[in-house]
Amino acid sequence: MEKPKMNYLKTFLLGFGFFGVSVIWSVYNAFVPLFLDERFGLHAGFISFIMVLDNIAALVIQPPLGIFSDRMRSPIGRRLPFIVVGAPVAAGVFGLIPHAQVLPLFIFSCITLLLAMAFWRTPVVALMPDITPSEHRSPANGVINLMGGLGTVLATLIGGPLYNINPAYPFYLGGGLVTLAAILVLIFIREPKEYIASKLHLADKAEGSQMETNVLKNISNVFTQKDKSALFILLSILLWFIAWNALETFFTLYGVNHLGLSGGDSAFQISYTGLSFMLMAIPAGILARKFKRKRVISAGLWIMIATMILIYLIPGNILLTKFASLMGSGFYIISIILIVAGFGWALINVNSLPMVVDMTDDERIGTYTGLYYFFSQLAATIGPVLFGWSIQLAGNNYRLMMVIAPIFFFLAFLTMLGVKKGEAKPVSVPESEV
């Protein structure tokens, strides 16, 4: 009996979908807060509210779309139709955001972007477990996140200097790259044949147990299961994403307001985290296959706790000790710490989705991917608001977020202790393939 192997080329090509998602959100999170601060003069609390409007919409949209894509049948599969519709709309509206000169139009552009991105994000991520055997899902997700890290690096490494030239240029870059990424996925990725039909329809294959289309019902099922592993991993995802999304949202403002960096240089610092994340993505998956996903995630959480505490404890003037200049921006002590943080985040993020989808069967991968995004988007809603108002109430003390973040990473470590399932499943090969 020959074990199914991982197709690295196909996985890399699929990774372009996540590459496009990462480019869009990296540019969005790095520069939209700067627009809100500099163009519209908003304070941290109000910025956080606007930055989570997209997450609130995603919270409502993405889980049902994961369920819907599980049931979709079309000539090109159950996931790809969502990319055909969502990606070009997202790319087009993204280029309009920097040209919105009045706040209502700016917010409307951001919400339109979110709706388009939410339409295809869950289905494109669910493609990875669709085409990858269980034991290879952590390494495969490493490849996917490598491509996502590449998107983050390009968005911030190139986007920072472009922003200094013209604030609209990073958005043009993002729109162009997401269009290219979607085209590559549509050309080279083919879904499993059992999910392709001659005409569009909805399918319920499981006899006697129809798939729930109610997201809240699916969440309720997770809470009422005898084994609480799914509940604990989803709570862990909620907690660590509260910390991560808040850091991602406010780091450029932290760099500008606390460290005194320029907007472009502050955004450039994020590229160091993205670069190290990208380099660690594949090793993180391989380590999980060898040492188990839970252990690797827990190690990543402790790395994140240590790096955030270090940034808080080290004085700003020492954090900005400069070693070199790169593309008009600096390489500082804080850059080194952010590189280490990227390694830690890779250990966490690469292995969390495989743990979630390996708590269910192949028919419900989209449903559980939707649950993954429900909790991560709930975190993306709570995190920036919690951190934003905390910062504002502390007199716009952006350094405070380096205290709050480790608390949530530690709480995530505690909930991970309750996770007993989610490791790679034993390989089974159908008799017809033996």
Side-chain angles (χ1 to χ4, degrees), residues 100-122:
Q101 298 297 322
V102 294
L103 187 58
L105 180 59
F106 189 90
I107 295 173
F108 175 79
S109 300
C110 291
I111 291 175
T112 305
L113 169 73
L114 172 278
L115 294 174
M117 291 295 291
F119 188 78
W120 67 291
R121 183 170 182 176
T122 296

Side-chain angles (χ1 to χ4, degrees), residues 25-357:
W25 290 123
S26 295
V27 171
Y28 185 89
N29 287 323
F31 300 113
V32 166
L34 293 178
F35 280 123
L36 294 171
D37 179 53
E38 297 170 1
R39 179 177 295 177
F40 302 111
L42 300 184
H43 295 297
F46 294 103
I47 291 174
S48 69
F49 175 74
I50 293 172
M51 291 298 290
V52 302
L53 288 177
D54 60 334
N55 300 316
I56 293 170
L59 190 65
V60 176
I61 295 169
Q62 286 183 189
L65 282 173
I67 299 168
F68 186 73
S69 70
D70 275 343
R71 297 159 57 92
M72 173 76 77
R73 300 295 182 267
S74 82
I76 59 173
R78 57 179 180 171
R79 317 291 189 197
L80 294 179
F82 295 89
I83 302 174
V84 171
V85 175
V89 175
V93 75
F94 195 56
L96 299 178
I97 288 176
H99 297 290
Q101 298 297 322
V102 294
L103 187 58
L105 180 59
F106 189 90
I107 295 173
F108 175 79
S109 300
C110 291
I111 291 175
T112 305
L113 169 73
L114 172 278
L115 294 174
M117 291 295 291
F119 188 78
W120 67 291
R121 183 170 182 176
T122 296
V124 76
V125 172
L127 267 172
M128 184 279 289
D130 277 350
I131 65 174
T132 307
S134 173
E135 69 168 322
H136 299 301
R137 283 173 182 167
S138 276
N141 205 38
V143 174
I144 299 295
N145 279 276
L146 167 65
M147 298 302 292
L150 178 61
T152 298
V153 169
L154 286 177
T156 52
L157 193 68
I158 300 175
L162 287 178
Y163 180 86
N164 290 334
I165 298 170
N166 186 321
Y169 286 173
F171 292 83
Y172 298 160
L173 173 70
L177 288 176
V178 79
T179 301
L180 175 62
I183 290 172
L184 289 172
V185 171
L186 293 171
I187 290 175
F188 291 107
I189 297 300
R190 294 292 177 267
E191 297 193 36
K193 293 181 180 179
E194 61 266 33
Y195 302 127
I196 297 177
S198 60
K199 61 181 180 179
L200 179 68
H201 67 283
L202 299 178
D204 279 309
K205 291 179 67 175
E207 295 182 3
S209 59
Q210 288 190 346
M211 187 177 297
E212 287 288 350
T213 57
N214 186 308
V215 176
L216 294 178
K217 181 65 175 177
N218 281 306
I219 296 172
S220 175
N221 289 341
V222 169
F223 275 80
T224 56
Q225 288 174 6
K226 184 176 181 181
D227 187 307
K228 301 298 182 184
S229 292
L231 171 61
F232 281 121
I233 186 64
L234 291 170
L235 289 176
S236 299
I237 288 165
L238 173 69
L239 290 164
W240 69 55
F241 270 115
I242 284 176
W244 177 258
N245 281 285
L247 290 169
E248 193 175 39
T249 298
F250 288 109
F251 187 84
T252 48
L253 288 172
Y254 166 82
V256 171
N257 290 283
H258 179 68
L259 298 179
L261 297 172
S262 68
D265 196 359
S266 187
F268 190 89
Q269 297 306 307
I270 302 172
S271 68
Y272 294 120
T273 300
L275 179 61
S276 62
F277 177 93
M278 182 178 68
L279 294 175
M280 193 63 188
I282 293 178
I286 295 172
L287 286 171
R289 188 163 58 184
K290 184 174 182 179
F291 297 109
K292 303 298 183 183
R293 293 165 180 167
K294 178 179 174 179
R295 292 177 183 172
V296 172
I297 288 174
S298 297
L301 289 168
W302 281 109
I303 291 173
M304 293 303 298
I305 291 168
T307 53
M308 296 303 101
I309 291 175
L310 268 179
I311 292 175
Y312 177 78
L313 293 176
I314 298 174
N317 62 319
I318 297 178
L319 286 173
L320 291 185
T321 300
K322 192 173 184 178
F323 299 107
S325 293
L326 298 171
M327 300 177 67
S329 297
F331 183 77
Y332 312 104
I333 285 179
I334 193 173
S335 308
I336 297 172
I337 299 174
L338 290 173
I339 288 171
V340 177
F343 290 144
W345 184 240
L347 297 177
I348 300 167
N349 200 28
V350 164
N351 295 299
S352 56
L353 177 63
M355 285 201 82
V356 172
V357 298

